[in-house]
């Protein structure tokens, strides 16, 4: 009998419903106040909360807890502890108090830290994040926490996000109060679409590149790709439907409601989109979603690939970050208004976002930069790195008319602000889509904490500038009009509503001084004074913490290039070359037999020559890769990253081209690794169903 899902949504989450049941009213109110105002909860209330949380966990059969945090590696971390201890008489007794709830200790030196911590400075501190909810996962009580060094330097992705939410809230409320509105809080809300691939698990384990790097380093284009557009929104196979049902159940228990799920454009590619929630919670949910995707896929005989470009020749996977602003009265500040005041307010907040994107475009690009995203951006429906804003031509035209018309009385007259909210412009990096902005550059494997930290902080800075002007204004609506007009005049270069792939736009972007910055250069720009000043001004990250993140990103880039080079070399030397040599031997035996019989063997001879030439190219490139990797030891981390980008990655690309050409010449029985035809199209029977 099917259970009624309405009764068990978020059954594994200690949410507001359960808190009201388990907590005294005074403690619950104190917790809500602390959560909304970013203040500290007193020790007595922490003890009461810990006791209630423990009782709830024990009732659900849970005996262990962990401080669940998000270090600087796009994953989550946990160290499990018992809710029990022993008394003097060696009896097992429950021991979980406010102290255990609010503080924990980990090994900070063993996580990415960018040089902030040395091995002898091992202590790391986890602190309870009461703006998020505790939950049960895999039989363990998970308490969301921040993570820092012993001297309180930030070592995680959650802390700066919380700081950015606080900064955004403060500046947005200043603007609204200046406009005469009684609003206590403004929240950034996020809905992160998640794209991913599912392939047969048995085939996955036959590909070393997928195991070690998450993507195929070799793979010739199959006879059919996605050119027929026959996979997008296609009805689900029975096996995929069962997988999605299990996934929905697991996420449902964690309070994550999947609003939409479907087949994506590329074969074996899928997408899910959750309901919107506050940015911090949305980031927690996305981390849990990625973990659950992997776990449930394995249970159903699949491997879930979250890499940005697991397969060449077809679409890659992104994580479209839908971002908006919501007041504590549930008003969307990025939604077109139906009165003169709301029209003007909408344009003011829209302007703040446009200003933020233009002023901090380099920082925004840095927040999504990675080697994996390099493989995806710029084609196959992924936007290029030239950061622009899509508004909708009708909306742009109305704004231009209003800001230049002397007849428009800002705050009084309504405007014909038409926004179709339908054309999301798949080539646009930052698109306005009706009541939110969709940042399409985020990679599918990335934590969305980084990008939302930057968006929140950059927009908070725009709002700070606006609030300063408004609070010192004698004519509020005239000042609002001036701010809107100035913003659209100064920052119109960032607005583009055409084809971001076109050659005409590439030239136009140069004229507008909009740059296509490489990944390593964008990471290098992270520590520019302009960017550091922003993050320090709003108490999001210190200069030293920014430098640490820069080091982590550079090291990740170098490590990825190293691992991919080593894997590609081994695959070629251990799997591809030996079997190709066997095929060459077979061909030479045929040539010899034909020669003895006086039969011409021109076709076989030509094929041997072609294959031998490609083998020579591959061998040369494998040697070059080894030479380049040895060179890295002589360089600083920044030099290593530039060297990998300019030397190692191009050699990997050329090695791939030669190997892929080999694959097209070699019979399938002599090709040692599953092909794209097998991985994506069941060219040979598998269990995909």
């Amino acid at each position: 009998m099917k259970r009624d899902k309405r009764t068990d949504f978020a059954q594994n989450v200690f949410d507001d419903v359960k808190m009201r049941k388990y907590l005294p009213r005074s403690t619950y109110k104190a917790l809500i106040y602390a959560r909304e105002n970013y203040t500290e909860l007193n020790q007595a209330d922490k003890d009461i909360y810990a006791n209630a949380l423990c009782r709830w966990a024990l009732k659900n059969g849970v005996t262990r807890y962990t401080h669940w945090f998000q270090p600087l590696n796009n994953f989550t971390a946990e160290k499990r502890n018992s809710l029990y201890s022993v008394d003097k008489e060696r009896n097992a007794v429950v021991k979980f108090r406010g102290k255990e709830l609010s503080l924990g200790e980990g090994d900070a030196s063993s996580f990415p830290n960018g040089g902030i911590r040395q091995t002898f400075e091992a202590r790391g501190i986890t602190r309870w994040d009461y703006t998020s909810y505790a939950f049960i996962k895999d039989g363990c009580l998970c308490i969301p926490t921040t993570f820092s060094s012993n001297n309180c330097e930030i070592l995680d992705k959650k802390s700066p996000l919380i700081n950015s939410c606080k900064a955004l809230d403060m500046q947005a409320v200043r603007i609204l109060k200046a406009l005469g509105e009684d609003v206590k809080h403004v929240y950034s809300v996020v809905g992160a679409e998640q794209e991913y691939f599912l392939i047969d698990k048995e085939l996955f384990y036959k590909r070393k590149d997928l195991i070690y790097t998450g993507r195929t380093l070799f793979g010739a284009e199959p006879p059919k790709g996605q050119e027929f557009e026959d996979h997008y929104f296609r009805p689900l196979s029975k096996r995929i439907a069962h997988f999605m049902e299990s996934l929905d159940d697991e996420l449902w228990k964690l309070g994550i409601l999947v609003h939409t799920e479907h087949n994506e454009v590329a074969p074996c590619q899928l997408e899910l989109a959750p309901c919107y929630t506050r940015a911090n919670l949305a980031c927690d949910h996305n981390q849990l979603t990625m973990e659950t995707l992997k776990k449930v896929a394995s249970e159903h005989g699949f491997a879930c690939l979250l890499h940005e470009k697991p397969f060449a020749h077809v679409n890659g996977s992104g994580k479209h970050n839908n971002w908006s602003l919501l007041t504590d009265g549930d008003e969307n500040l990025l939604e077109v208004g139906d009165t003169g005041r709301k029209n003007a307010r909408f344009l003011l907040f829209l302007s703040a976002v446009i200003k933020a994107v233009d002023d901090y475009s380099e920082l925004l690009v840095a927040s999504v930069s990675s080697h994996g995203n390099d493989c995806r951006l710029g084609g196959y429906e992924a936007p290029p790195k030239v950061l622009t804003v899509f508004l909708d031509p009708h909306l742009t035209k109305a704004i231009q008319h209003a800001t230049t018309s002397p007849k428009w009385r800002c705050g009084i007259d309504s405007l014909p602000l038409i926004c179709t909210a339908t054309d999301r412009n798949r080539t646009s990096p930052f698109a306005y889509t009706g009541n939110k902005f969709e940042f399409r550059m985020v990679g599918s494997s990335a934590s969305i904490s980084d990008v939302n930290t930057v968006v929140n902080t950059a927009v908070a800075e725009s709002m700070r500038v606006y609030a300063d002007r408004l609070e010192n204004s004698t004519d509020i609506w005239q000042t609002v009009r001036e701010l809107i007009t100035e913003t659209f005049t100064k920052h119109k270069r960032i607005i583009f509503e055409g084809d971001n792939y076109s050659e005409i736009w590439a030239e136009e972007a140069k004229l507008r001084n909009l740059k296509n910055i490489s990944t390593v250069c964008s990471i290098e720009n992270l520590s520019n004074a302009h960017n550091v000043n922003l993050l320090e001004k709003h108490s999001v990250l210190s200069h030293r913490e920014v430098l640490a993140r820069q080091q982590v990103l550079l090291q990740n880039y170098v490590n990825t290039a190293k691992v991919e080079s080593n894997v590609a070399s081994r695959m070629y030397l251990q799997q591809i070359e030996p079997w190709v040599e066997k095929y060459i031997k077979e061909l030479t035996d045929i040539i010899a037999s034909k020669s003895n019989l006086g039969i011409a063997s021109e076709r076989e001879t030509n094929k041997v020559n072609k294959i031998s030439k490609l083998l020579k190219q591959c061998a040369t490139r494998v040697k070059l890769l080894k030479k380049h990797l040895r060179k890295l030891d002589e360089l600083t981390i920044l030099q290593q990253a530039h060297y990998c980008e300019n030397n190692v990655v191009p050699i990997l690309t050329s090695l791939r081209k030669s190997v892929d050409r080999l694959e097209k010449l070699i019979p399938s029985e002599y090709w040692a690794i599953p092909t794209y035809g097998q991985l994506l199209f069941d060219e040979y029977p598998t269990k995909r169903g």
Side-chain angles (χ1 to χ4, degrees):
M1 182 178 176
K2 277 274 186 183
R3 55 193 170 86
D4 184 356
K5 286 190 175 182
R6 290 173 298 180
T7 63
D8 63 359
F9 178 66
Q11 70 179 60
N12 289 346
V13 183
F14 196 62
D15 56 12
D16 287 273
V17 173
K18 297 177 188 68
M19 282 192 276
R20 283 193 293 269
K21 179 180 177 182
Y22 280 85
L23 291 173
R25 181 177 176 82
S26 60
T27 301
Y28 176 70
K29 288 178 69 176
L31 179 68
I32 297 304
Y33 182 86
R35 186 171 74 190
E36 297 298 314
N37 295 281
Y38 304 96
T39 57
E40 187 69 24
L41 203 63
N42 67 48
Q43 189 59 49
D45 283 325
K46 287 180 182 178
D47 288 334
I48 293 170
Y49 180 91
N51 178 267
L53 182 62
C54 184
R55 284 188 287 117
W56 173 73
L58 291 171
K59 184 178 180 181
N60 283 276
V62 172
T63 60
R64 291 199 168 269
Y65 75 95
T66 183
H67 279 191
W68 184 80
F69 59 99
Q70 299 171 31
L72 302 177
N73 58 11
N74 288 335
F75 299 106
T76 62
E78 55 187 63
K79 180 181 74 172
R80 297 191 171 196
N81 301 291
S82 177
L83 289 169
Y84 285 87
S85 186
V86 290
D87 62 16
K88 293 178 181 179
E89 298 178 351
R90 304 299 296 169
N91 296 311
V93 293
V94 175
K95 187 181 179 182
F96 183 74
R97 303 159 300 181
K99 180 182 176 182
E100 287 78 21
L101 166 72
S102 42
L103 280 176
E105 183 178 330
D107 189 345
S109 64
S110 299
F111 287 103
N113 58 67
I116 279 184
R117 306 298 290 160
Q118 301 301 319
T119 304
F120 68 88
E121 301 171 308
R123 194 164 183 252
I125 303 298
T126 51
R127 290 179 173 84
W128 174 36
D129 169 24
Y130 41 79
T131 67
S132 193
Y133 296 117
F135 57 91
I136 294 170
K137 178 174 72 77
D138 299 328
C140 184
L141 174 63
C142 298
I143 302 163
T145 64
T146 61
F147 184 54
S148 64
S149 66
N150 193 37
N151 60 354
C152 297
E153 287 182 299
I154 293 172
L155 292 171
D156 72 332
K157 300 206 171 194
K158 179 183 274 282
S159 300
L161 177 62
I162 294 171
N163 293 341
S164 74
C165 290
K166 183 178 179 180
L168 182 81
D169 181 13
M170 182 189 305
Q171 302 304 331
V173 168
R174 285 181 65 201
I175 288 178
L176 291 171
K177 285 186 175 179
L179 298 181
E181 298 192 30
D182 183 21
V183 172
K184 292 183 176 63
H185 295 288
V186 173
Y187 313 108
S188 59
V189 291
V190 174
E193 303 168 36
Q194 178 71 56
E195 294 176 333
Y196 60 98
F197 280 80
L198 289 182
I199 63 167
D200 192 86
K201 189 161 66 171
E202 290 183 11
L203 294 177
F204 170 85
Y205 283 116
K206 292 179 181 179
R207 298 258 336 196
K208 290 183 180 180
D209 48 3
L210 286 176
I211 293 170
Y212 290 112
T213 74
R215 75 177 181 114
T216 53
L217 300 176
F218 306 122
E221 190 172 3
K224 174 181 177 289
Q226 61 187 46
E227 48 274 281
F228 289 102
E229 299 170 334
D230 55 348
H231 191 257
Y232 193 49
F233 284 14
R234 189 174 180 173
L236 303 175
S237 71
K238 188 175 182 180
R239 190 176 173 203
I240 294 291
H242 285 164
F243 157 79
M244 283 191 174
E245 185 177 1
S246 297
L247 177 69
D248 291 347
D249 281 348
E250 292 298 314
L251 294 177
W252 183 271
K253 294 172 188 174
L254 291 168
I256 304 169
L257 200 158
V258 177
H259 187 264
T260 305
E261 52 194 358
H262 58 84
N263 276 318
E264 253 298 336
V265 175
C268 294
Q269 188 184 32
L270 301 107
E271 180 185 295
L272 65 81
C275 289
Y276 286 75
T277 189
R278 294 189 195 177
N280 184 31
L281 190 58
C283 293
D284 286 358
H285 282 180
N286 187 251
Q287 292 296 135
L288 287 170
T289 296
M290 290 193 287
E291 291 177 15
T292 308
L293 278 168
K294 291 271 190 182
K295 182 183 78 171
V296 175
S298 182
E299 291 169 354
H300 284 257
F302 293 114
C304 175
L305 307 181
L306 293 173
H307 193 282
E308 285 74 21
K309 194 73 170 179
F311 303 101
H313 320 300
V314 295
N315 278 21
S317 294
K319 189 175 292 185
H320 306 158
N321 193 83
N322 295 285
W323 179 94
S324 194
L325 295 170
L326 208 64
T327 69
D328 50 8
D330 283 338
E331 272 197 281
N332 191 320
L333 297 174
L334 293 178
E335 196 160 36
V336 172
D338 54 4
T339 66
R341 287 175 65 93
K342 289 186 177 180
N343 264 180
R345 186 187 70 181
F346 160 71
L347 290 179
L348 186 64
F349 281 96
L350 189 76
S351 300
V353 178
I354 292 166
K355 174 178 167 57
V357 173
D358 195 14
D359 286 345
Y360 295 97
S361 58
E362 290 184 356
L363 187 57
L364 280 164
V365 172
S367 74
V368 299
S369 289
S370 68
H371 177 64
N373 224 8
D374 266 356
C375 302
R376 176 183 79 99
L377 294 175
Y380 289 96
E381 298 189 3
K385 277 192 174 181
V386 179
L387 191 53
T388 57
V389 173
F390 170 90
L391 284 184
D392 183 291
H394 300 292
L395 181 58
T396 303
K397 187 176 180 181
I399 293 168
Q400 289 172 343
H401 173 73
T403 53
T404 56
S405 171
K407 294 182 180 180
W408 179 47
R409 295 174 298 169
C410 182
I412 299 172
D413 296 336
S414 293
L415 289 170
L417 296 176
I418 302 169
C419 184
T420 59
T422 55
D423 184 2
R424 300 188 179 191
N425 190 335
R426 286 179 175 268
T427 70
S428 173
F430 208 98
Y432 177 71
T433 56
N435 58 5
K436 63 186 182 300
F437 280 93
E438 181 180 14
F439 194 14
R440 297 177 50 84
M441 288 176 69
V442 188
S444 52
S445 68
S447 162
I448 60 172
S449 294
D450 295 332
V451 64
N452 285 294
T453 296
V454 173
V455 172
N456 285 350
T457 312
V459 174
E461 174 60 12
S462 296
M463 291 176 179
R464 183 196 65 79
V465 173
Y466 289 2
D468 286 350
R469 287 268 297 273
L470 290 169
E471 288 172 350
N472 291 291
S473 172
T474 55
D475 187 338
I476 288 292
W477 293 110
Q478 178 58 28
T479 304
V480 168
R481 176 176 180 140
E482 289 170 2
L483 288 168
I484 295 168
T485 304
E486 288 169 15
T487 299
F488 277 89
T489 301
K490 183 178 178 181
H491 300 284
K492 63 183 178 182
R493 69 168 192 151
I494 204 82
I495 299 171
F496 179 68
E497 288 145 349
D499 181 3
N500 286 261
Y501 291 165
S502 69
E503 292 182 11
I504 296 173
W505 165 240
E507 293 303 316
E508 173 67 19
K510 289 178 184 177
L511 294 175
R512 297 189 188 191
N513 198 27
L514 298 173
K515 300 173 183 177
N516 188 337
I517 306 171
S518 75
T519 288
V520 176
C521 286
S522 69
I523 297 171
E524 188 176 4
N525 290 339
L526 190 61
S527 60
N528 286 352
H530 180 61
N531 296 329
V532 173
N533 289 342
L534 170 76
L535 297 167
E536 286 194 317
K537 181 188 297 182
H538 292 279
S539 302
V540 173
L541 287 168
S542 70
H543 187 193
R544 186 169 144 92
E545 288 162 348
V546 173
L547 290 175
R549 275 158 173 70
Q550 183 184 60
Q551 292 296 301
V552 170
L553 290 171
L554 291 171
Q555 192 66 65
N556 284 346
Y557 188 90
V558 172
N559 287 345
T560 301
K562 284 181 177 178
V563 170
E564 290 193 352
S565 298
N566 288 328
V567 172
S569 298
R570 289 192 188 186
M571 284 182 71
Y572 173 74
L573 293 172
Q574 296 175 359
Q575 293 182 289
I576 295 167
E577 187 182 62
W579 280 94
V580 174
E581 293 284 8
K582 286 182 182 180
Y583 180 55
I584 288 178
K585 185 179 182 305
E586 181 180 298
L587 286 176
T588 55
D589 288 346
I590 292 172
I591 292 169
S593 297
K594 283 188 173 183
S595 178
N596 290 336
L597 296 171
I599 301 172
S601 56
E602 184 179 355
R603 186 173 64 86
E604 290 82 3
T605 301
N606 287 340
K607 198 167 188 180
V608 167
N609 290 336
K610 283 182 183 179
I611 294 171
S612 298
K613 183 180 178 182
L614 288 170
L615 285 175
K616 186 177 179 181
Q617 289 176 3
C618 291
T620 300
R621 284 157 188 165
V622 167
K623 287 180 181 177
L624 267 175
L625 280 177
K626 292 180 179 178
K627 178 183 175 183
H628 286 318
L629 293 183
R630 286 195 296 270
K631 174 74 174 175
L632 294 178
D633 295 335
E634 307 166 11
L635 308 173
T636 66
I637 188 60
L638 178 58
Q639 290 171 336
Q640 286 182 39
H642 278 297
Y643 192 85
C644 285
E645 189 172 52
N646 297 325
N647 296 281
V648 177
V649 172
I651 295 298
L652 266 171
T653 303
S654 60
L655 174 60
R656 175 182 188 134
K657 288 179 181 178
S658 296
V659 171
D660 290 355
R661 288 176 64 192
L662 267 177
E663 183 185 329
K664 293 179 179 180
L665 295 172
I666 306 298
S668 57
E669 60 267 29
Y670 286 96
W671 198 250
I673 57 177
T675 65
Y676 274 23
Q678 292 169 280
L679 292 166
L680 296 175
F681 291 101
D682 288 333
E683 190 174 303
Y684 300 100
T686 67
K687 294 182 179 179
R688 191 170 291 120

